[in-house]
């Protein structure tokens, strides 16, 4: 279901703003349920089993959010006082409320990577073996796709290289796969191929797939009992959560094959803004980043004109396509944003000190 009413607000703030359509709502209303805290919800079990099979894992755990999936996954692989290596702009650091340190006692060490894509070569000089006087690295975290870099994809061969490096060093790998569906659509890589490169994987159902709530952590079977206890301790022990899991199952049936449409719409946005002379980073998936001064002022002006976007930095505007925004809505967004951005830049140049621009 796409939203192409020319008079409606075009919401490009995130792919989390989607709303369940009639088919998904019907699936939720008709879901068979039980108490999941006792492991008795059949719809939750069906979702977990399906995703575990899809990605080639022996076990899975349904949780309320991607943040919780990541933090449980990290705590299973890295103990208190141990070290995690991740990219400097990783979601687990930038957007998860310092949870690795707060809840896991995990020390983090970062690597700045071009386009957010970690490589074995970059990691080789960072991961360190421990000794009685030096803290050793315990695990590496990768993000697929990388949110703050603009939806960039870790290529499969790059992930395999990281897997080989970490295996030699005795390290584990966790993947924040919140937008792994976008990576799969962009590259044609199978879920199982990605799953084979990591020890745990968090997949989100409420971004590219358009479910209202939920993520699933894929993990080793021996870790499942502790993962369930960690979920309970973090407040994620839900009861008749099959109502939510049903939305995820519906999304797997109806929304995976259409993810490439979001990428096409991101390309439409990027071309329209670039043709107007704006600095646009070429999108790899469904996230478009525009480099323009005064981003927060631009987002406020655009919202007044019915187009919602975000400003992840003072000079960056972000647009995210999703299943509720179609081609006509994206074309309208281009018109509004070109007008707003070019006018804002022109006004800024008029008031800037001589030589500033």
């Amino acid at each position: 279901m796409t939203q192409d009413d020319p008079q409606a607000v075009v919401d490009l703030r995130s792919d989390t703003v989607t709303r369940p359509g009639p088919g998904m709502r019907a699936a939720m209303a008709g879901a068979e349920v039980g108490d999941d805290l006792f492991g008795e919800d059949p719809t939750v079990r069906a979702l977990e089993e399906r995703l575990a099979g899809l990605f080639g894992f022996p076990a899975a755990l349904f949780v309320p959010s991607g943040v919780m999936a990541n933090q449980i996954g990290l705590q299973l692989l890295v103990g208190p006082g141990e070290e995690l290596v991740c990219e400097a702009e990783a979601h687990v650091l930038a957007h998860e409320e310092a949870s690795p340190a707060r809840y896991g006692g995990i020390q983090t060490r970062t690597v700045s990577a071009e386009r957010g894509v970690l490589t074995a070569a970059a990691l080789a000089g960072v991961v360190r073996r421990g000794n009685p006087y030096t803290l050793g690295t315990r695990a590496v975290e990768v993000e697929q796709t990388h949110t703050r870099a603009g939806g960039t994809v870790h290529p499969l061969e790059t992930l395999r290289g990281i897997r080989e490096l970490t295996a030699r060093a005795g390290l584990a790998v966790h993947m924040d796969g919140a937008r792994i569906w976008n990576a799969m659509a962009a590259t044609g890589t199978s879920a199982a191929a990605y799953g084979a490169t990591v020890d745990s994987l968090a997949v989100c159902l409420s971004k590219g797939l358009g479910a209202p709530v939920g993520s699933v952590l894929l993990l080793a079977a021996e870790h499942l009992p502790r993962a369930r206890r960690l979920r309970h301790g973090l407040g994620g022990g839900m009861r008749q959560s099959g109502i939510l899991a049903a939305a995820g199952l519906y999304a797997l049936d109806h929304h995976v094959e259409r993810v490439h449409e979001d990428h096409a719409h991101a390309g439409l946005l990027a071309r329209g803004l670039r043709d107007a002379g704006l600095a646009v980073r070429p999108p790899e998936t469904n996230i478009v980043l525009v480099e323009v001064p005064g981003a927060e002022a631009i987002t406020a002006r655009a919202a007044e004109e019915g187009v919602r976007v975000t400003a992840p930095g003072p000079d960056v505007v972000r647009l995210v396509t999703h299943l509720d925004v179609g081609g006509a809505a994206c074309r309208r967004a281009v018109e509004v944003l070109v007008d707003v951005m070019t006018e804002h830049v022109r006004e800024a140049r008029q008031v800037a000190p001589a030589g500033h621009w």
Side-chain angles (χ1 to χ4, degrees):
M1 181 183 68
T2 57
Q3 175 262 93
D4 263 338
D5 180 352
Q7 301 304 315
V9 170
V10 182
D11 197 339
L12 297 167
R13 290 174 298 173
S14 175
D15 42 9
T16 61
V17 301
T18 58
R19 299 181 181 182
M24 184 177 284
R25 288 177 182 269
M28 296 170 71
E32 185 180 359
V33 299
D35 193 318
D36 181 51
L37 205 61
F38 292 119
E40 296 175 354
D41 191 300
T43 307
V44 170
R45 291 203 305 269
L47 175 65
E48 291 170 342
E49 290 170 4
R50 181 165 175 184
L51 282 169
L54 183 65
F55 284 91
F57 277 80
L61 183 67
F62 182 49
V63 299
S65 72
V67 171
M68 186 177 290
N70 280 332
Q71 296 308 318
I72 293 173
L74 293 179
Q75 288 186 52
L76 293 173
L77 301 179
V78 188
E82 295 181 332
E83 182 178 83
L84 172 74
V85 171
C86 56
E87 206 280 324
E89 293 295 322
H91 191 282
V92 296
L93 292 185
H95 299 290
E96 301 194 8
E97 306 299 330
S99 292
R102 181 182 298 180
Y103 300 117
I106 296 170
Q107 172 171 295
T108 53
R109 194 170 186 211
T110 62
V111 180
S112 294
E114 184 178 359
R115 298 170 34 256
V117 177
L118 287 175
T119 64
L123 290 168
V126 176
V127 297
R128 52 190 170 190
R129 296 184 183 276
N131 59 45
Y133 310 102
T134 305
L135 182 67
T137 303
R138 184 68 187 86
V140 170
E141 187 267 355
V142 295
E143 188 175 331
Q144 187 76 302
T145 64
H146 195 293
T147 302
R148 290 181 65 82
T152 52
V153 176
H154 277 78
L156 181 60
E157 288 307 311
T158 299
L159 293 170
R160 285 173 172 165
I162 293 172
R163 183 63 164 181
E164 291 175 6
L165 170 74
T166 54
R168 290 195 302 270
L171 310 180
V173 182
H174 172 74
M175 179 183 285
D176 173 2
R179 292 187 174 90
I180 199 167
W181 313 105
N182 297 94
M184 290 163 59
T187 65
T189 303
S190 71
Y194 279 138
T197 65
V198 295
D199 295 282
S200 60
L201 169 60
V203 298
C204 187
L205 302 167
S206 64
K207 293 187 173 68
L209 299 193
V213 175
S215 287
V216 174
L217 175 64
L218 305 165
L219 68 166
E222 60 266 29
H223 287 161
L224 185 58
R226 182 165 178 244
R228 293 182 69 88
R229 289 188 63 86
L230 286 170
R231 181 184 68 171
H232 182 63
L234 292 171
M238 301 177 285
R239 300 296 182 175
Q240 288 72 37
S241 49
I243 293 172
L244 301 175
L249 286 168
Y250 181 92
L252 289 171
D253 287 335
H254 296 90
H255 294 166
V256 173
E257 297 299 324
R258 60 146 308 280
V259 170
H260 67 90
E261 297 174 14
D262 299 337
H263 301 177
H265 292 146
L268 186 160
L269 290 168
R271 287 191 299 275
L273 296 170
R274 191 182 301 116
D275 289 347
L278 294 163
V280 183
R281 301 182 200 175
E284 294 185 25
T285 52
N286 68 320
I287 300 176
V288 180
L289 298 180
V290 187
E291 297 176 357
V292 59
E296 290 188 2
I298 287 170
T299 63
R301 289 191 182 188
E304 293 174 358
E305 299 298 324
V307 176
R308 294 176 179 171
V309 294
T310 59
D315 300 320
V316 179
V317 171
R318 187 180 88 150
L319 298 71
V320 185
T321 55
H322 49 78
L323 63 84
D324 279 0
V325 175
C330 288
R331 285 187 285 273
R332 176 169 170 249
V334 168
E335 294 177 359
V336 169
L337 291 171
V338 167
D339 287 345
V340 169
M341 289 180 179
T342 53
E343 180 181 358
H344 181 79
V345 170
R346 184 168 54 250
E347 291 176 354
R349 284 174 173 166
Q350 290 174 350
V351 299
H356 182 72
W357 291 90

